Amino acid sequence: MESKTIKINRRSANITEGKSRAPNRSMYYGMGYEEGDFGKPMIGVANGHSTITPCNSGLQKLADAAVAAIEAAGGNAQIFGTPTISDGMAMGTEGMKYSLVSREVISDCIETCVQGQWMDGVVVVGGCDKNMPGGMMGMLRANVPAIYVYGGTILPGYYKDQELNIVSVFEAVGQNAAGNLSDEDLKQIEQRAIPGTGSCGGMYTANTMSSAFEALGLSLPYSSTMANPHDEKMNSAQESARVLIEAVKKDIKPRDIVTKEALENAVAVIMATGGSTNAVLHFLAIAHAAGVEWSIDDFERVRRKVPVLCDLKPSGKYLAVDLHKAGGIPQVMKILLKAGLLHGDCLTITGKTVAETLKDIPDAPRADQDVIRPIDKPMYAEGHLAILKGNLSPEGAVAKITGLKNPVITGPARVFDDEQSALKAILDGKIVAGDVMVLRYLGPKGGPGMPEMLAPTGALIGAGLGESVGLITDGRFSGGTWGMVVGHVAPEAAAGGNIALVHEGDSITIDARQLLLQVNIDDAELAKRRANWKAPLPRYMRGVQAKFAFNASSASKGAVLDDY
């Protein structure tokens, strides 16, 4: 029988070698280690479990399953925690400004624990939106063999034979304010939309990132669309741990996997599945952590050649659980591979290439489902995440352009320097068809933390204004957002971007066909306004928000904190 002891690439060799051997080992004996344990690999389990949010309240069983599998495969599990912020709960509040900040905190936690304790590998278990990029960035920084275990999607809720998810609630608020939904129906939707554990159910940010991680090669096939309550999710966590032990033996590291070609694969799947605008911000940051040259213009390059194949919420019909039943991400990837839109020779954490992993997957989707379309009958011929530029966004801005009847609007600016006053204007009926709302000083530095604008955009949809009112912001959008909206406007207002110079009533054009975002005034007038503009004082002077605001790069560079 083959020995389970792994002796290659021992990062933790300092435990048994050198003058510090005795005190180092003594600390481990205090945790129940035995003599034979010091020849085993030390495998970190970064556990994002918390009872803060349904996205993470179902993670402990997955972490436990991973620990058991690590020990059965001959490793020593070392468990440590990572924090989370619930975007859905924090939305529309000051707490939302901590969401993107938590991405950096999570990546710092993982890098610090893996490097500080000199671990040989790490399993990252996460659920809510920023757990995903934060975990991946930490894996790439530490660059020891690593695998991501996604907590899984939530099951849908139901009311009056209507399928519900988290976005249903935000849209119901707008419907109620517009007089189109009773208070009782609003209450019932609120109480039934989230039936249990798991991350928000559409192709919103968490499911977008999990799908992209599977395409990237750092999560197991099918794992990204499993539901948290289902047994297969726990089985996948166990298999992930076993795969990681083999990766430690083979010394397969994240930066061996995350190449420019692998990033193209991930972004191709994001486009094919109709994923979240947040994926642009996060994959810029992931590429930065990997040391791979990747710019905001690369998203546009991939978008133009990859069609939208999946009919998924928020702009489509189905949820992630439906995608899973229809064949999951492997089916989407095989269609793209067959069409020459994926790099099949990219390595994955299993040691197989993408092409080897997909070899037994059918070339075309099953005929008994319509979640995944054939390559010759896509939802849209080109991808949905467009990069718009113009005098309002010379560094670029991100728009989700699918699902719109008319992706062009020119209208008067309605200017707001915070989210709450913008939401109040919508709910009070002061925003009308043809307006272009400008929400600014909400970027990485200005927010700080670049909060998401699901409350205003959900209210617009609920009020029936989703396609007739434009909204631009230097903040972000929830993965559940759709409509005539443009986010990540860069440079941001707090950094002196032209969005800071817009006046109430200025004519603004959003043109997704020409990829244009502009305020229709001449350069001389902009220069005059700039001469009179003064940067606002920071909103925070101490603590994590102040540190984030001081260090954050532009959204066009991923809003990372170490772009020196």
Side-chain angles (χ1 to χ4, degrees):
M1 182 176 178
E2 183 181 344
S3 170
K4 291 181 179 179
T5 301
I6 300 165
K7 296 181 179 179
I8 61 170
N9 299 305
R10 293 288 303 134
R11 282 169 50 92
S12 50
N14 65 311
I15 294 169
T16 57
E17 296 177 5
K19 293 181 180 179
S20 62
R21 167 177 172 170
N24 282 357
R25 287 169 64 123
S26 293
M27 301 293 283
Y28 286 91
Y29 283 133
M31 295 189 294
Y33 278 52
E34 298 177 355
E35 184 74 25
D37 288 325
F38 295 107
K40 299 175 181 179
M42 303 293 187
I43 305 297
V45 178
N47 183 7
H49 171 80
S50 76
T51 56
I52 287 172
T53 171
C55 309
N56 289 53
S57 61
L59 298 187
Q60 188 60 51
K61 64 183 179 181
L62 305 185
D64 291 343
V67 168
I70 287 166
E71 294 176 350
N76 281 325
Q78 296 186 319
I79 306 162
F80 60 93
T82 62
T84 196
I85 296 296
S86 172
D87 289 23
M89 292 175 176
M91 203 74 67
T93 73
E94 193 72 6
M96 185 66 226
K97 296 178 180 180
Y98 286 85
S99 172
L100 186 59
V101 172
S102 76
R103 183 189 76 179
E104 303 304 312
V105 176
I106 291 164
S107 56
D108 288 350
C109 284
I110 292 169
E111 179 188 5
T112 299
C113 288
V114 172
Q115 299 290 61
Q117 293 304 124
W118 212 237
M119 295 172 185
D120 297 296
V122 62
V123 177
V124 179
V125 185
C128 201
D129 292 5
K130 306 312 170 297
N131 294 189
M132 312 298 292
M136 185 60 64
M137 290 159 66
M139 288 161 57
L140 286 160
R141 288 187 201 165
N143 200 36
V144 300
I147 193 165
Y148 201 101
V149 174
Y150 176 45
T153 189
I154 201 169
L155 297 171
Y158 291 93
Y159 178 59
K160 291 185 175 179
D161 297 324
Q162 189 173 25
E163 205 169 62
L164 301 175
N165 63 87
I166 184 62
V167 177
S168 307
V169 181
F170 286 91
E171 294 181 359
V173 170
Q175 290 174 312
N176 178 259
N180 297 324
L181 188 74
S182 71
D183 290 347
E184 177 61 24
D185 283 341
L186 175 59
K187 183 177 80 170
Q188 291 297 326
I189 290 170
E190 180 183 52
Q191 292 177 351
R192 296 166 186 259
I194 307 298
T197 56
S199 297
C200 299
M203 193 47 68
Y204 309 145
T205 302
N207 285 327
T208 296
M209 297 305 293
S210 70
S211 299
F213 289 179
E214 185 177 325
L216 199 60
L218 280 165
S219 289
L220 293 188
Y222 298 104
S223 66
S224 65
T225 51
M226 293 174 179
N228 178 266
H230 292 167
D231 288 345
E232 65 176 350
K233 187 72 254 187
M234 194 159 63
N235 296 337
S236 179
Q238 292 174 326
E239 180 61 20
S240 296
R242 288 190 287 268
V243 165
L244 178 63
I245 294 293
E246 292 303 310
V248 171
K249 293 179 182 179
K250 298 171 185 174
D251 196 29
I252 301 174
K253 299 185 180 76
R255 288 186 217 161
D256 300 328
I257 293 169
V258 182
T259 62
K260 186 164 187 175
E261 290 74 22
L263 288 172
E264 288 182 354
N265 286 352
V267 173
V269 166
I270 291 165
M271 295 296 177
T273 56
S276 167
T277 54
N278 283 311
V280 175
L281 187 80
H282 296 328
F283 266 92
L284 286 166
I286 287 167
H288 177 76
V292 176
E293 188 174 331
W294 186 267
S295 76
I296 196 168
D297 295 322
D298 285 310
F299 292 93
E300 184 61 28
R301 175 175 58 81
V302 176
R303 182 189 77 82
R304 289 183 177 276
K305 64 182 182 179
V306 177
V308 179
L309 297 177
C310 300
D311 190 2
L312 297 169
K313 290 182 182 295
S315 57
K317 291 190 294 185
Y318 295 106
L319 296 171
V321 289
D322 303 307
L323 175 59
H324 190 62
K325 293 173 188 174
I329 294 303
Q331 182 63 82
V332 176
M333 291 180 69
K334 186 59 176 288
I335 296 168
L336 295 175
L337 181 67
K338 183 71 175 176
L341 297 172
L342 279 192
H343 299 282
D345 57 349
C346 286
L347 180 68
T348 73
I349 192 62
T350 65
K352 295 180 180 180
T353 65
V354 167
E356 289 169 342
T357 302
L358 300 174
K359 81 179 165 59
D360 295 328
I361 306 297
D363 291 343
R366 299 196 319 266
D368 65 346
Q369 59 79 47
D370 63 346
V371 183
I372 307 172
R373 301 286 189 91
I375 194 73
D376 58 347
K377 295 179 181 177
M379 293 285 295
Y380 304 96
E382 293 183 341
H384 63 302
L385 298 181
I387 306 303
L388 275 56
K389 293 189 176 182
N391 64 2
L392 276 178
S393 58
E395 292 180 12
V398 184
K400 187 184 288 187
I401 61 174
T402 53
L404 297 175
K405 295 172 185 173
N406 181 20
V408 180
I409 186 172
T410 295
R414 304 297 309 279
V415 181
F416 303 90
D417 290 349
D418 62 83
E419 178 187 3
Q420 288 70 31
S421 60
L423 177 61
K424 186 176 187 302
I426 297 167
L427 297 179
D428 289 348
K430 295 180 180 179
I431 302 298
V432 299
D435 285 345
V436 178
M437 299 182 72
V438 179
L439 280 63
R440 64 191 182 188
Y441 295 105
L442 294 164
K445 293 181 178 295
M450 207 178 176
E452 293 180 352
M453 301 293 110
L454 181 56
T457 58
L460 285 173
I461 298 294
L465 297 170
E467 298 212 50
S468 59
V469 169
L471 188 152
I472 70 171
T473 180
D474 50 9
R476 297 182 295 124
F477 294 118
S478 162
T481 295
W482 69 278
M484 180 60 74
V485 297
V486 183
H488 309 202
V489 171
E492 62 175 292
N498 286 342
I499 189 172
L501 309 180
V502 176
H503 288 180
E504 183 83 9
D506 283 347
S507 172
I508 290 180
T509 295
I510 304 171
D511 190 334
R513 293 195 183 109
Q514 297 188 56
L515 305 179
L516 179 67
L517 180 65
Q518 70 179 25
V519 56
N520 298 308
I521 58 177
D522 60 34
D523 292 344
E525 176 61 21
L526 277 175
K528 179 181 176 182
R529 293 182 185 182
R530 178 168 300 285
N532 294 321
W533 177 80
K534 292 182 179 179
L537 292 173
R539 297 181 194 265
Y540 290 82
M541 300 302 292
R542 293 288 184 273
V544 68
Q545 286 283 13
K547 289 187 286 186
F548 188 93
F550 182 81
N551 289 290
S553 71
S554 169
S556 66
K557 294 186 176 182
V560 297
L561 304 188
D562 58 350
D563 184 34
Y564 304 124

